[in-house]
Amino acid sequence: MSLRDELREYITNISLKKQIPEGFSDDYDLIEKEALDSLVYLGLITHIENNYSIELGEEDITPENFGSISMLTRFVERKLA
């Protein structure tokens, strides 16, 4: 499973609880559409840190990094590089 697929699966199954919003895609704006609440973002951050062995700082938690599945995938790929 690719990184993008794994993040999509986590977000749709755990965060969205399989209640996929209309028009959902890898570029769906998770922040503007308020698809995830703050507790879900905390869980997502913990998931990324634990599963990819990377440490995230406050400067990493931005809309540019967490705004969509595509943005999140690119961000995690950069952190892993």
Side-chain angles (χ1 to χ4, degrees):
M1 180 179 298
S2 73
L3 173 63
R4 181 182 304 266
D5 291 341
E6 193 280 325
L7 291 170
R8 183 185 315 110
E9 183 176 298
Y10 179 85
I11 288 171
T12 56
N13 292 339
I14 304 300
S15 301
L16 296 175
K17 298 181 176 130
K18 299 184 182 181
Q19 297 176 348
I20 311 302
E22 184 176 328
F24 187 79
S25 70
D26 288 348
D27 296 315
Y28 186 85
D29 192 328
L30 298 169
I31 296 171
E32 185 176 304
K33 306 282 186 176
E34 299 179 353
L36 309 177
D37 64 29
S38 58
L39 289 177
V40 171
Y41 272 109
L42 287 175
L44 179 57
I45 292 164
T46 301
H47 174 77
I48 291 168
E49 289 181 326
N50 291 340
N51 286 291
Y52 302 107
S53 300
I54 56 177
E55 189 172 324
L56 303 180
E58 287 183 36
E59 68 279 359
D60 294 321
I61 315 304
T62 65
E64 294 79 21
N65 293 334
F66 283 77
S68 68
I69 293 172
S70 294
M71 292 173 171
L72 188 57
T73 300
R74 287 190 298 272
F75 167 68
V76 173
E77 287 173 341
R78 284 192 311 273
K79 293 295 272 187
L80 291 172

